[in-house]
Amino acid sequence: MQLTVWTYEGPPHVGAMRIATAMEGVHYVLHAPQGDTYADLLFTMIERRAKRPPVTYTTFQARDLGKDTAELFQQAARDAFARFQPQAMLVGASCTAELIQDDPAGLAEAMRLPCPVIALELPSYQRKENWGAAETFYQLVRRMCSASNSAPVGEGMKKANILGPTALGFRHRDDVIEIRRLLETLGIGINVVAPLGATPADLARLPEADFNICLYPEIADTACRWLEKTFGQKAVRTVPIGHAATRDFIAEVAALAGVDPAPALDTSNLPWWSRSVDSTYLTGKRVFIFGDATHAIAAARVAQDELGFEIVGLGCYNREFARDLRDAAKLYGVEPLITDDYLAVEDAIQALQPELVLGTQMERHIAKRLRIPCAVISAPVHVQDFPARYSPQMGFEGANVLFDSWVHPLVMGLEEHLLTMFRDDFEFSDAAGASHLGAGAAPFLPELARGGGPRPQGGVEGLAENEPPPPSLGDGPPPRAGFGEELGKWSPEAERELLKIPFFVRGKARRNTEKFAADRHLATITLDTLYDAKAHHAR
């Protein structure tokens, strides 16, 4: 186990909370100590839900460990049923409560509550949030679907299940609206959307559909495979993120339903925008992509095939889909990054110096510190990524949203020209802070741009408190570093000259120059060193 400040996924019982909170008529009784009761924070503050999540905790304390914690759990379950009258109840333990081995499954079965009780065995120290959500959804589907039901055969309107959207998912609410519109245009009925908005009774009707749409594989893949094996229901597995993928999705759905895809083959504005004059400033932009595998793989296809970006890095944090991510990385000729360590992701971004980062809220934090444009494409996300407006990622309208949200962080065309023209103006110079942050904004500092400088410790962002600027060593040949001296300090003249290099290649120029100086054991990088390095790397 690794201690960390940030994490891409919570423990598996958080995944179970996401399923319970997404559904209606389900209640989750969680055997957990007082410190694990943070569901309200996740769903009411982050996702801005108007009601509390349907979770009851036993909230035992240290003094309770010498007593009967099993009775505490049973009493909490009885009280929850009496108060909420759920159609189905989930029971399980948090990562901390798992250690005391009270067996919530056996305790709940012994109570014989008058509703289906699904006991969740979620190994907190081997698995994580998305797996917990997938396993919870699968167990609910398996329990509620009657083996006597079967997929319908015959004439009439074809029907589909839309599976995978959950609470705390990235734009799931809006994606479902967009997919509904596409299916209705094709004349395909919607049998059940689950887990988002579904009841246990709705899950029992899943076999009535002709096929399933696996909208988010990290949540619905296990359930879709079981439904196909048990009821013979085929699954649509194309994820409709981007213009081309949406057309592929429509073709796959139409083939399964036996309908004409033409009515739904609408077009977004993305292809036109990609061919417009603005594309001059998109083509060849170096982009680093990281997130859950579903969104990362889809984003890579859109970035390269539809916007003309160059993929320089591709990664995901959910290891269950590592094979899919590796296959995608091969298509773009990059090394796959499969990790849940945000520091490894930060190191990769610093090394690659992309011109755009597409990632989670963590990559947004990293990119802001490194002053690299960033757009969020995947959970985990912050409250600002749950907009009040309609903002899907999927379908043709989703393609429009992608174009807007990915292009807006970039400096383009006339903007780039004006920034260069007014570089020495008191309002636009690198020594001035961001204008939209007010007069007290921290200035841009070379140490921060390099990414290797000291972390903020008070005072100006990017410099340690009372840290002096690098000394000016005057003219003449640069001295060689002696034993114990720090290599690669920049002279003020070299720093000023570096700022004349366009921002989108400045990071690479800095790295190349520092490597050149380090190979020659130069203590200080002067103006001559900068030009010598440029000539060396140009050969």
Side-chain angles (χ1 to χ4, degrees), residues 299-354:
R301 178 181 179 183
V302 175
Q304 177 164 291
D305 296 349
E306 301 182 30
L307 294 178
F309 293 150
E310 177 190 351
I311 310 298
V312 297
L314 178 62
C316 74
Y317 55 78
N318 43 342
R319 298 179 184 275
E320 293 85 358
F321 290 85
R323 180 179 298 175
D324 297 333
L325 195 284
R326 290 191 183 100
D327 290 342
K330 288 178 185 176
L331 297 176
Y332 308 107
V334 297
E335 190 69 24
L337 177 62
I338 300 161
T339 180
D340 57 3
D341 182 355
Y342 64 91
L343 294 176
V345 179
E346 180 171 2
D347 289 343
I349 293 173
Q350 283 186 339
L352 292 167
Q353 283 293 312

Short mmCIF file of all heavy atoms in Angstrom, two decimals, residues 299-354:
data_model
loop_
_atom_site.label_atom_id
_atom_site.label_comp_id
_atom_site.label_asym_id
_atom_site.label_seq_id
_atom_site.Cartn_x
_atom_site.Cartn_y
_atom_site.Cartn_z
N ALA A 299 -10.42 9.75 -26.47
CA ALA A 299 -9.84 11.08 -26.67
C ALA A 299 -8.66 11.02 -27.63
O ALA A 299 -8.46 11.94 -28.44
CB ALA A 299 -9.41 11.67 -25.34
N ALA A 300 -7.87 9.96 -27.55
CA ALA A 300 -6.72 9.83 -28.44
C ALA A 300 -7.16 9.75 -29.90
O ALA A 300 -6.56 10.37 -30.78
CB ALA A 300 -5.90 8.60 -28.06
N ARG A 301 -8.24 9.01 -30.15
CA ARG A 301 -8.74 8.90 -31.53
C ARG A 301 -9.22 10.25 -32.04
O ARG A 301 -8.91 10.65 -33.17
CB ARG A 301 -9.86 7.87 -31.59
CG ARG A 301 -10.47 7.73 -32.98
CD ARG A 301 -11.60 6.72 -33.01
NE ARG A 301 -12.18 6.61 -34.35
CZ ARG A 301 -13.22 5.84 -34.64
NH1 ARG A 301 -13.78 5.09 -33.71
NH2 ARG A 301 -13.69 5.82 -35.88
N VAL A 302 -9.96 10.96 -31.22
CA VAL A 302 -10.46 12.28 -31.63
C VAL A 302 -9.29 13.24 -31.85
O VAL A 302 -9.24 13.98 -32.84
CB VAL A 302 -11.42 12.84 -30.56
CG1 VAL A 302 -11.84 14.27 -30.91
CG2 VAL A 302 -12.65 11.95 -30.43
N ALA A 303 -8.34 13.23 -30.92
CA ALA A 303 -7.23 14.18 -30.99
C ALA A 303 -6.43 14.00 -32.27
O ALA A 303 -6.09 14.98 -32.95
CB ALA A 303 -6.32 14.00 -29.77
N GLN A 304 -6.12 12.76 -32.62
CA GLN A 304 -5.28 12.55 -33.80
C GLN A 304 -6.07 12.59 -35.10
O GLN A 304 -5.68 13.27 -36.06
CB GLN A 304 -4.54 11.21 -33.70
CG GLN A 304 -3.71 10.90 -34.95
CD GLN A 304 -2.71 9.81 -34.73
OE1 GLN A 304 -1.73 9.98 -34.00
NE2 GLN A 304 -2.92 8.67 -35.37
N ASP A 305 -7.19 11.86 -35.15
CA ASP A 305 -7.89 11.69 -36.42
C ASP A 305 -8.80 12.86 -36.78
O ASP A 305 -9.06 13.11 -37.95
CB ASP A 305 -8.74 10.41 -36.39
CG ASP A 305 -7.88 9.16 -36.25
OD1 ASP A 305 -6.65 9.28 -36.39
OD2 ASP A 305 -8.43 8.08 -35.99
N GLU A 306 -9.30 13.59 -35.77
CA GLU A 306 -10.29 14.62 -36.05
C GLU A 306 -9.78 16.04 -35.83
O GLU A 306 -10.35 16.99 -36.38
CB GLU A 306 -11.56 14.37 -35.22
CG GLU A 306 -12.17 12.99 -35.52
CD GLU A 306 -13.45 12.73 -34.75
OE1 GLU A 306 -14.17 13.69 -34.45
OE2 GLU A 306 -13.72 11.55 -34.45
N LEU A 307 -8.74 16.19 -35.02
CA LEU A 307 -8.20 17.53 -34.75
C LEU A 307 -6.77 17.70 -35.22
O LEU A 307 -6.24 18.82 -35.18
CB LEU A 307 -8.30 17.85 -33.26
CG LEU A 307 -9.72 17.96 -32.70
CD1 LEU A 307 -9.68 18.24 -31.20
CD2 LEU A 307 -10.49 19.06 -33.40
N GLY A 308 -6.12 16.62 -35.64
CA GLY A 308 -4.77 16.74 -36.16
C GLY A 308 -3.70 16.93 -35.12
O GLY A 308 -2.59 17.37 -35.42
N PHE A 309 -3.99 16.61 -33.85
CA PHE A 309 -2.97 16.68 -32.81
C PHE A 309 -1.98 15.52 -32.98
O PHE A 309 -2.27 14.52 -33.61
CB PHE A 309 -3.59 16.58 -31.42
CG PHE A 309 -4.45 17.75 -31.02
CD1 PHE A 309 -5.52 17.59 -30.16
CD2 PHE A 309 -4.18 19.02 -31.49
CE1 PHE A 309 -6.31 18.67 -29.77
CE2 PHE A 309 -4.95 20.11 -31.11
CZ PHE A 309 -6.02 19.92 -30.26
N GLU A 310 -0.84 15.67 -32.35
CA GLU A 310 0.14 14.59 -32.28
C GLU A 310 0.12 14.01 -30.87
O GLU A 310 0.35 14.75 -29.90
CB GLU A 310 1.54 15.11 -32.61
CG GLU A 310 2.63 14.04 -32.49
CD GLU A 310 4.03 14.60 -32.58
OE1 GLU A 310 4.18 15.79 -32.90
OE2 GLU A 310 4.99 13.83 -32.31
N ILE A 311 -0.15 12.73 -30.74
CA ILE A 311 -0.19 12.08 -29.42
C ILE A 311 1.24 11.81 -28.98
O ILE A 311 1.97 11.05 -29.62
CB ILE A 311 -0.98 10.76 -29.47
CG1 ILE A 311 -2.34 10.93 -30.15
CG2 ILE A 311 -1.14 10.19 -28.06
CD1 ILE A 311 -3.26 11.88 -29.47
N VAL A 312 1.65 12.39 -27.85
CA VAL A 312 2.99 12.14 -27.33
C VAL A 312 2.96 11.32 -26.05
O VAL A 312 4.00 10.83 -25.59
CB VAL A 312 3.76 13.46 -27.09
CG1 VAL A 312 3.97 14.20 -28.40
CG2 VAL A 312 3.04 14.35 -26.07
N GLY A 313 1.79 11.17 -25.46
CA GLY A 313 1.66 10.37 -24.24
C GLY A 313 0.23 9.91 -24.06
O GLY A 313 -0.70 10.67 -24.34
N LEU A 314 0.04 8.66 -23.64
CA LEU A 314 -1.29 8.10 -23.45
C LEU A 314 -1.26 7.16 -22.26
O LEU A 314 -0.40 6.27 -22.19
CB LEU A 314 -1.74 7.35 -24.71
CG LEU A 314 -3.11 6.66 -24.67
CD1 LEU A 314 -4.22 7.69 -24.47
CD2 LEU A 314 -3.35 5.87 -25.95
N GLY A 315 -2.18 7.36 -21.32
CA GLY A 315 -2.17 6.51 -20.13
C GLY A 315 -3.52 6.43 -19.47
O GLY A 315 -4.45 7.19 -19.77
N CYS A 316 -3.65 5.48 -18.54
CA CYS A 316 -4.88 5.33 -17.75
C CYS A 316 -4.51 4.85 -16.36
O CYS A 316 -3.40 4.38 -16.11
CB CYS A 316 -5.86 4.36 -18.41
SG CYS A 316 -5.39 2.61 -18.28
N TYR A 317 -5.47 4.98 -15.42
CA TYR A 317 -5.21 4.58 -14.04
C TYR A 317 -5.91 3.29 -13.66
O TYR A 317 -5.60 2.70 -12.63
CB TYR A 317 -5.61 5.69 -13.07
CG TYR A 317 -7.04 6.17 -13.20
CD1 TYR A 317 -8.10 5.44 -12.68
CD2 TYR A 317 -7.33 7.37 -13.85
CE1 TYR A 317 -9.41 5.89 -12.81
CE2 TYR A 317 -8.62 7.82 -13.98
CZ TYR A 317 -9.66 7.08 -13.46
OH TYR A 317 -10.96 7.53 -13.58
N ASN A 318 -6.89 2.82 -14.45
CA ASN A 318 -7.60 1.59 -14.08
C ASN A 318 -6.95 0.40 -14.79
O ASN A 318 -7.09 0.20 -15.98
CB ASN A 318 -9.10 1.68 -14.38
CG ASN A 318 -9.40 2.33 -15.72
OD1 ASN A 318 -8.57 3.00 -16.31
ND2 ASN A 318 -10.61 2.12 -16.19
N ARG A 319 -6.23 -0.39 -14.00
CA ARG A 319 -5.42 -1.48 -14.53
C ARG A 319 -6.25 -2.59 -15.16
O ARG A 319 -5.72 -3.40 -15.94
CB ARG A 319 -4.53 -2.06 -13.41
CG ARG A 319 -3.55 -1.03 -12.85
CD ARG A 319 -2.71 -1.61 -11.73
NE ARG A 319 -1.85 -0.59 -11.15
CZ ARG A 319 -0.66 -0.25 -11.62
NH1 ARG A 319 -0.20 -0.85 -12.70
NH2 ARG A 319 0.06 0.69 -11.03
N GLU A 320 -7.55 -2.66 -14.82
CA GLU A 320 -8.39 -3.70 -15.42
C GLU A 320 -8.48 -3.55 -16.94
O GLU A 320 -8.79 -4.52 -17.64
CB GLU A 320 -9.81 -3.64 -14.83
CG GLU A 320 -9.89 -4.01 -13.35
CD GLU A 320 -9.61 -2.85 -12.41
OE1 GLU A 320 -9.30 -1.75 -12.91
OE2 GLU A 320 -9.69 -3.04 -11.19
N PHE A 321 -8.21 -2.35 -17.46
CA PHE A 321 -8.28 -2.11 -18.89
C PHE A 321 -6.90 -1.80 -19.47
O PHE A 321 -6.78 -1.13 -20.50
CB PHE A 321 -9.26 -0.96 -19.17
CG PHE A 321 -10.69 -1.33 -18.91
CD1 PHE A 321 -11.22 -1.23 -17.63
CD2 PHE A 321 -11.50 -1.80 -19.92
CE1 PHE A 321 -12.54 -1.59 -17.36
CE2 PHE A 321 -12.81 -2.15 -19.68
CZ PHE A 321 -13.34 -2.05 -18.40
N ALA A 322 -5.86 -2.32 -18.82
CA ALA A 322 -4.49 -2.06 -19.26
C ALA A 322 -4.25 -2.61 -20.67
O ALA A 322 -3.56 -1.98 -21.48
CB ALA A 322 -3.50 -2.68 -18.28
N ARG A 323 -4.81 -3.77 -20.98
CA ARG A 323 -4.59 -4.36 -22.31
C ARG A 323 -5.15 -3.46 -23.40
O ARG A 323 -4.52 -3.23 -24.44
CB ARG A 323 -5.22 -5.75 -22.38
CG ARG A 323 -5.04 -6.44 -23.73
CD ARG A 323 -5.66 -7.82 -23.72
NE ARG A 323 -5.02 -8.68 -22.73
CZ ARG A 323 -5.44 -9.92 -22.46
NH1 ARG A 323 -6.49 -10.42 -23.10
NH2 ARG A 323 -4.82 -10.67 -21.57
N ASP A 324 -6.37 -2.94 -23.18
CA ASP A 324 -6.98 -2.05 -24.17
C ASP A 324 -6.14 -0.79 -24.36
O ASP A 324 -5.98 -0.29 -25.49
CB ASP A 324 -8.40 -1.66 -23.72
CG ASP A 324 -9.33 -2.85 -23.63
OD1 ASP A 324 -9.09 -3.84 -24.35
OD2 ASP A 324 -10.29 -2.79 -22.84
N LEU A 325 -5.61 -0.27 -23.27
CA LEU A 325 -4.80 0.95 -23.35
C LEU A 325 -3.50 0.68 -24.10
O LEU A 325 -3.05 1.49 -24.92
CB LEU A 325 -4.54 1.47 -21.93
CG LEU A 325 -4.01 2.89 -21.72
CD1 LEU A 325 -2.53 3.01 -22.05
CD2 LEU A 325 -4.82 3.91 -22.51
N ARG A 326 -2.88 -0.47 -23.83
CA ARG A 326 -1.63 -0.81 -24.53
C ARG A 326 -1.87 -0.94 -26.03
O ARG A 326 -1.05 -0.51 -26.84
CB ARG A 326 -1.04 -2.10 -23.96
CG ARG A 326 -0.49 -1.96 -22.54
CD ARG A 326 0.32 -3.19 -22.15
NE ARG A 326 0.78 -3.09 -20.77
CZ ARG A 326 0.20 -3.69 -19.74
NH1 ARG A 326 -0.87 -4.46 -19.94
NH2 ARG A 326 0.67 -3.54 -18.52
N ASP A 327 -2.98 -1.58 -26.40
CA ASP A 327 -3.30 -1.72 -27.82
C ASP A 327 -3.47 -0.35 -28.48
O ASP A 327 -3.03 -0.13 -29.62
CB ASP A 327 -4.58 -2.55 -28.00
CG ASP A 327 -4.38 -4.02 -27.63
OD1 ASP A 327 -3.21 -4.45 -27.57
OD2 ASP A 327 -5.39 -4.72 -27.39
N ALA A 328 -4.13 0.57 -27.77
CA ALA A 328 -4.33 1.91 -28.32
C ALA A 328 -2.99 2.64 -28.44
O ALA A 328 -2.75 3.34 -29.44
CB ALA A 328 -5.28 2.70 -27.44
N ALA A 329 -2.12 2.49 -27.44
CA ALA A 329 -0.83 3.18 -27.47
C ALA A 329 0.00 2.74 -28.68
O ALA A 329 0.74 3.54 -29.26
CB ALA A 329 -0.07 2.93 -26.17
N LYS A 330 -0.12 1.48 -29.06
CA LYS A 330 0.62 1.00 -30.22
C LYS A 330 0.20 1.73 -31.49
O LYS A 330 1.02 1.97 -32.39
CB LYS A 330 0.38 -0.51 -30.40
CG LYS A 330 1.07 -1.38 -29.37
CD LYS A 330 0.73 -2.85 -29.61
CE LYS A 330 1.32 -3.74 -28.51
NZ LYS A 330 0.93 -5.15 -28.69
N LEU A 331 -1.09 2.07 -31.59
CA LEU A 331 -1.58 2.76 -32.79
C LEU A 331 -0.91 4.12 -32.97
O LEU A 331 -0.76 4.60 -34.10
CB LEU A 331 -3.10 2.95 -32.69
CG LEU A 331 -3.96 1.69 -32.65
CD1 LEU A 331 -5.42 2.06 -32.44
CD2 LEU A 331 -3.80 0.88 -33.93
N TYR A 332 -0.54 4.75 -31.86
CA TYR A 332 0.02 6.10 -31.92
C TYR A 332 1.53 6.11 -31.72
O TYR A 332 2.14 7.20 -31.68
CB TYR A 332 -0.67 7.00 -30.89
CG TYR A 332 -2.17 6.94 -31.00
CD1 TYR A 332 -2.95 6.27 -30.05
CD2 TYR A 332 -2.83 7.50 -32.09
CE1 TYR A 332 -4.33 6.19 -30.18
CE2 TYR A 332 -4.20 7.41 -32.23
CZ TYR A 332 -4.94 6.75 -31.27
OH TYR A 332 -6.30 6.66 -31.40
N GLY A 333 2.11 4.93 -31.57
CA GLY A 333 3.55 4.85 -31.43
C GLY A 333 4.10 5.47 -30.17
O GLY A 333 5.20 6.03 -30.17
N VAL A 334 3.35 5.36 -29.06
CA VAL A 334 3.82 5.92 -27.79
C VAL A 334 3.88 4.82 -26.74
O VAL A 334 3.25 3.76 -26.89
CB VAL A 334 2.90 7.06 -27.30
CG1 VAL A 334 2.92 8.21 -28.29
CG2 VAL A 334 1.47 6.57 -27.08
N GLU A 335 4.63 5.08 -25.71
CA GLU A 335 4.75 4.14 -24.60
C GLU A 335 3.54 4.29 -23.68
O GLU A 335 3.25 5.39 -23.21
CB GLU A 335 6.02 4.42 -23.81
CG GLU A 335 6.38 3.35 -22.78
CD GLU A 335 6.81 2.04 -23.41
OE1 GLU A 335 7.27 2.04 -24.56
OE2 GLU A 335 6.67 1.01 -22.71
N PRO A 336 2.79 3.22 -23.40
CA PRO A 336 1.62 3.35 -22.53
C PRO A 336 2.03 3.63 -21.09
O PRO A 336 3.04 3.11 -20.60
CB PRO A 336 0.94 1.98 -22.64
CG PRO A 336 2.03 1.03 -23.01
CD PRO A 336 2.98 1.82 -23.87
N LEU A 337 1.27 4.48 -20.43
CA LEU A 337 1.51 4.80 -19.02
C LEU A 337 0.32 4.30 -18.22
O LEU A 337 -0.76 4.88 -18.28
CB LEU A 337 1.70 6.31 -18.84
CG LEU A 337 1.90 6.80 -17.40
CD1 LEU A 337 3.16 6.21 -16.80
CD2 LEU A 337 1.95 8.32 -17.35
N ILE A 338 0.51 3.23 -17.48
CA ILE A 338 -0.58 2.63 -16.70
C ILE A 338 -0.16 2.70 -15.24
O ILE A 338 0.69 1.95 -14.77
CB ILE A 338 -0.86 1.19 -17.14
CG1 ILE A 338 -1.26 1.17 -18.61
CG2 ILE A 338 -1.96 0.56 -16.28
CD1 ILE A 338 -1.12 -0.15 -19.27
N THR A 339 -0.74 3.65 -14.52
CA THR A 339 -0.32 3.90 -13.14
C THR A 339 -1.44 4.62 -12.40
O THR A 339 -2.25 5.31 -13.01
CB THR A 339 0.96 4.76 -13.11
OG1 THR A 339 1.35 4.98 -11.75
CG2 THR A 339 0.73 6.11 -13.78
N ASP A 340 -1.46 4.45 -11.09
CA ASP A 340 -2.36 5.25 -10.26
C ASP A 340 -1.55 6.19 -9.37
O ASP A 340 -2.06 6.72 -8.38
CB ASP A 340 -3.28 4.36 -9.41
CG ASP A 340 -2.50 3.39 -8.53
OD1 ASP A 340 -1.25 3.45 -8.53
OD2 ASP A 340 -3.13 2.55 -7.86
N ASP A 341 -0.30 6.44 -9.75
CA ASP A 341 0.58 7.34 -9.03
C ASP A 341 0.64 8.66 -9.79
O ASP A 341 1.24 8.75 -10.87
CB ASP A 341 1.98 6.73 -8.91
CG ASP A 341 2.94 7.61 -8.11
OD1 ASP A 341 2.55 8.73 -7.73
OD2 ASP A 341 4.08 7.17 -7.88
N TYR A 342 0.03 9.71 -9.24
CA TYR A 342 -0.02 10.99 -9.94
C TYR A 342 1.37 11.61 -10.11
O TYR A 342 1.59 12.40 -11.02
CB TYR A 342 -0.93 11.97 -9.20
CG TYR A 342 -0.45 12.36 -7.82
CD1 TYR A 342 0.35 13.46 -7.62
CD2 TYR A 342 -0.80 11.59 -6.70
CE1 TYR A 342 0.80 13.81 -6.36
CE2 TYR A 342 -0.35 11.93 -5.44
CZ TYR A 342 0.45 13.04 -5.27
OH TYR A 342 0.90 13.37 -4.03
N LEU A 343 2.32 11.24 -9.24
CA LEU A 343 3.68 11.76 -9.39
C LEU A 343 4.35 11.19 -10.63
O LEU A 343 5.13 11.89 -11.30
CB LEU A 343 4.51 11.44 -8.14
CG LEU A 343 4.06 12.14 -6.85
CD1 LEU A 343 4.88 11.67 -5.67
CD2 LEU A 343 4.14 13.65 -7.01
N ALA A 344 4.04 9.95 -10.97
CA ALA A 344 4.57 9.37 -12.21
C ALA A 344 3.99 10.08 -13.42
O ALA A 344 4.67 10.30 -14.43
CB ALA A 344 4.27 7.87 -12.26
N VAL A 345 2.70 10.44 -13.32
CA VAL A 345 2.07 11.18 -14.42
C VAL A 345 2.71 12.56 -14.55
O VAL A 345 3.00 13.03 -15.66
CB VAL A 345 0.55 11.30 -14.18
CG1 VAL A 345 -0.11 12.09 -15.31
CG2 VAL A 345 -0.09 9.92 -14.07
N GLU A 346 2.96 13.21 -13.43
CA GLU A 346 3.59 14.54 -13.47
C GLU A 346 4.98 14.46 -14.09
O GLU A 346 5.37 15.31 -14.90
CB GLU A 346 3.68 15.12 -12.06
CG GLU A 346 4.32 16.49 -12.02
CD GLU A 346 4.21 17.17 -10.66
OE1 GLU A 346 3.67 16.56 -9.73
OE2 GLU A 346 4.67 18.32 -10.55
N ASP A 347 5.74 13.42 -13.73
CA ASP A 347 7.08 13.25 -14.31
C ASP A 347 6.99 13.08 -15.82
O ASP A 347 7.82 13.63 -16.57
CB ASP A 347 7.78 12.05 -13.68
CG ASP A 347 8.20 12.29 -12.23
OD1 ASP A 347 8.23 13.47 -11.82
OD2 ASP A 347 8.46 11.30 -11.52
N ALA A 348 6.00 12.32 -16.28
CA ALA A 348 5.84 12.09 -17.72
C ALA A 348 5.50 13.40 -18.44
O ALA A 348 6.03 13.68 -19.52
CB ALA A 348 4.76 11.04 -17.97
N ILE A 349 4.64 14.19 -17.83
CA ILE A 349 4.26 15.48 -18.46
C ILE A 349 5.47 16.41 -18.51
O ILE A 349 5.72 17.07 -19.53
CB ILE A 349 3.10 16.12 -17.69
CG1 ILE A 349 1.82 15.27 -17.84
CG2 ILE A 349 2.84 17.54 -18.18
CD1 ILE A 349 0.66 15.74 -16.98
N GLN A 350 6.24 16.46 -17.45
CA GLN A 350 7.43 17.31 -17.42
C GLN A 350 8.43 16.87 -18.48
O GLN A 350 9.04 17.70 -19.16
CB GLN A 350 8.09 17.27 -16.05
CG GLN A 350 7.36 18.10 -15.00
CD GLN A 350 8.13 18.16 -13.69
OE1 GLN A 350 8.97 17.31 -13.43
NE2 GLN A 350 7.85 19.15 -12.89
N ALA A 351 8.60 15.56 -18.63
CA ALA A 351 9.58 15.05 -19.59
C ALA A 351 9.15 15.31 -21.02
O ALA A 351 9.97 15.65 -21.88
CB ALA A 351 9.81 13.56 -19.36
N LEU A 352 7.86 15.17 -21.29
CA LEU A 352 7.36 15.29 -22.67
C LEU A 352 7.08 16.73 -23.08
O LEU A 352 7.07 17.04 -24.26
CB LEU A 352 6.09 14.45 -22.83
CG LEU A 352 6.28 12.94 -22.74
CD1 LEU A 352 4.94 12.23 -22.59
CD2 LEU A 352 7.04 12.42 -23.95
N GLN A 353 6.82 17.61 -22.11
CA GLN A 353 6.52 19.02 -22.38
C GLN A 353 5.48 19.17 -23.50
O GLN A 353 5.75 19.79 -24.54
CB GLN A 353 7.79 19.78 -22.74
CG GLN A 353 8.67 20.11 -21.56
CD GLN A 353 8.02 21.12 -20.61
OE1 GLN A 353 7.53 22.14 -21.05
NE2 GLN A 353 8.04 20.82 -19.32
N PRO A 354 4.28 18.61 -23.33
CA PRO A 354 3.26 18.74 -24.38
C PRO A 354 2.72 20.17 -24.44
O PRO A 354 2.95 20.98 -23.53
CB PRO A 354 2.16 17.78 -23.90
CG PRO A 354 2.30 17.78 -22.41
CD PRO A 354 3.78 17.89 -22.15
#
